[in-house]
């Protein structure tokens, strides 16, 4: 596990680039509120911003990054290719459109958002990402919400000359949806595992186990969940538009869950709060 020294800690990706161990997610933040929220996150010290075409807030993310005063090279900016842009040509156009929309010369990471569209479309999208990486439009590439069968399909394609490597796999991950088989598959291959919705949209904050562990360390349930993800070797992407909570979600480097805490948070429950394309059979 990467040494957790603070927001400046990073994972080295298969691409050779560095991914901050904690990021700021902007899922479901209205475009009108995104720029202010991202600027606050950058002010607090976050250096990873996770957006997507589907979120419709790439533009304010880009504006916040450009106006932050933080060197662009120090910020890790992600977007994702949506299901309606699957396939080589559509993905290629989507990448160029997103760069223009976000007012960026490059993205640090582009993910395929979900494994929809069938094998031909998935591998076509991957080809477009590989070409974009070679041309400097993106530095690292990966997938989101892929089941193991989708991952193995892509791995087989890459092994036969499909190009590049999988740098990141992004999934909904928290103690009530920990996907141990997928996480193990990725980590065995040194693929960084990003955790979206690491707070389960706040739906689990009344769980007794969170209250008990939080009380033990003087931390909130949200901080316990973020810390759990970090200690699992994940890269959590907590989201909030409230400045105090943006800061609170980053204050997770001054305590460590012990073995008993981690075991107590191994609930064995599989209840995603979002969609679950990992089970798609196509």
């Amino acid at each position: 596990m990467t040494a957790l020294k603070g927001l400046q800690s990073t994972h080295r990706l298969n691409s050779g680039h560095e991914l901050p161990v904690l990021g700021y997610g902007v899922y479901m933040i209205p475009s009108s509120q995104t720029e202010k929220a991202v600027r606050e996150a950058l002010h607090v010290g976050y250096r990873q911003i996770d957006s997507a075409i589907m979120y419709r807030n790439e533009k304010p993310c880009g504006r916040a990054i450009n106006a932050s005063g933080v060197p662009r090279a120090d910020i890790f900016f992600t977007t994702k290719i949506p299901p309606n842009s699957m396939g080589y040509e559509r993905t290629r156009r989507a990448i160029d459109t997103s760069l223009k929309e976000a007012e960026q010369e490059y993205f640090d990471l582009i993910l395929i958002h979900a494994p929809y569209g069938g094998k031909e479309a998935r591998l076509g999208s991957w080809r477009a990402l590989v070409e974009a990486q070679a041309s400097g439009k993106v530095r690292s590439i990966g997938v989101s919400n892929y089941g193991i069968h989708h991952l193995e399909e892509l791995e087989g394609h890459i092994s036969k000359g499909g190009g590049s490597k999988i740098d990141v796999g992004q999934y909904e991950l928290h103690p009530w949806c920990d996907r141990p088989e997928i996480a193990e598959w990725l980590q065995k291959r040194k693929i960084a595992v990003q955790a979206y919705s690491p707070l389960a949209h706040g739906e689990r904050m009344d769980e007794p186990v969170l209250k008990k562990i939080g009380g033990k360390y003087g931390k909130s349930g949200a901080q316990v969940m973020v810390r759990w993800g970090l200690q699992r070797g994940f890269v959590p992407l907590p989201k909030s538009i409230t400045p105090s909570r943006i800061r609170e979600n980053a204050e997770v480097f001054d305590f460590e869950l012990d073995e008993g805490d981690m075991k107590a948070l191994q609930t064995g429950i599989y209840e995603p709060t979002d969609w679950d394309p990992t089970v798609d059979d196509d």
Side-chain angles (χ1 to χ4, degrees):
M1 183 177 71
T2 299
L4 301 174
K5 299 179 181 179
L7 284 169
Q8 73 278 9
S9 299
T10 61
H11 287 280
R12 179 170 287 268
L13 300 178
N14 286 327
S15 64
H17 293 285
E18 299 289 336
L19 172 70
V21 299
L22 186 66
Y24 179 68
V26 297
Y27 174 54
M28 292 185 70
I29 299 181
S31 180
S32 62
Q33 300 178 42
T34 301
E35 183 173 352
K36 181 179 179 182
V38 172
R39 290 182 75 161
E40 178 64 25
L42 292 170
H43 175 72
V44 166
Y46 291 85
R47 290 296 179 263
Q48 180 190 167
I49 306 299
D50 181 81
S51 185
I53 294 172
M54 285 177 61
Y55 303 169
R56 300 185 178 183
N57 54 21
E58 292 171 307
K59 183 182 287 292
C61 284
R63 287 180 174 173
I65 289 169
N66 293 342
S68 68
V70 179
R72 177 63 183 85
D74 293 344
I75 299 174
F76 195 100
F77 187 18
T78 299
T79 195
K80 308 178 191 76
I81 303 300
N84 63 5
S85 292
M86 293 295 284
Y88 173 73
E89 289 293 347
R90 289 182 177 180
T91 294
R92 191 170 60 84
R93 288 194 297 268
I95 292 167
D96 288 340
T97 299
S98 285
L99 286 168
K100 183 177 180 180
E101 177 77 5
E103 301 172 4
Q104 300 295 307
E105 294 182 359
Y106 68 92
F107 284 104
D108 294 275
L109 174 67
I110 299 180
L111 304 174
I112 298 174
H113 209 148
Y116 294 142
K119 179 178 180 179
E120 183 178 352
R122 285 191 291 271
L123 298 184
S125 290
W126 184 256
R127 176 186 163 200
L129 291 186
V130 171
E131 289 184 3
Q133 186 179 39
S135 67
K137 294 178 181 180
V138 61
R139 294 185 168 179
S140 301
I141 58 178
V143 298
S144 180
N145 298 302
Y146 270 43
I148 288 179
H149 54 301
H150 303 121
L151 291 166
E152 291 180 340
E153 171 190 275
L154 179 54
E155 183 178 54
H157 173 70
I158 292 170
S159 70
K160 294 176 182 177
S164 197
K165 297 178 180 179
I166 306 171
D167 294 308
V168 172
Q170 186 180 119
Y171 297 83
E172 178 179 352
L173 291 164
H174 49 74
W176 291 271
C177 182
D178 65 351
R179 307 184 193 274
E181 294 85 6
I182 292 175
E184 181 181 1
W185 193 98
L186 296 166
Q187 291 175 329
K188 183 178 180 180
R189 291 158 175 82
K190 297 183 179 179
I191 298 169
V193 184
Q194 288 181 322
Y196 72 76
S197 300
L199 307 181
H201 294 300
E203 295 178 7
R204 297 286 184 172
M205 293 306 164
D206 290 331
E207 294 281 350
V209 66
L210 288 181
K211 292 184 176 181
K212 180 179 180 180
I213 295 174
K216 176 179 176 180
Y217 297 100
K219 294 291 183 178
S220 68
Q223 289 171 315
V224 170
M225 292 178 78
V226 172
R227 183 70 200 191
W228 171 88
L230 289 170
Q231 290 185 213
R232 285 290 303 272
F234 303 155
V235 177
L237 303 168
K239 181 212 79 174
S240 176
I241 62 172
T242 305
S244 61
R245 290 183 178 175
I246 291 173
R247 183 175 297 277
E248 177 186 298
N249 291 338
E251 294 175 342
V252 291
F253 297 97
D254 57 351
F255 75 110
E256 182 175 352
L257 301 174
D258 63 29
E259 184 177 348
D261 301 326
M262 294 297 288
K263 185 175 182 180
L265 290 167
Q266 189 176 338
T267 69
I269 296 172
Y270 186 83
E271 293 184 357
T273 60
D274 291 293
W275 59 347
D276 191 10
T278 65
V279 298
D280 184 68
D281 291 330
D282 185 10

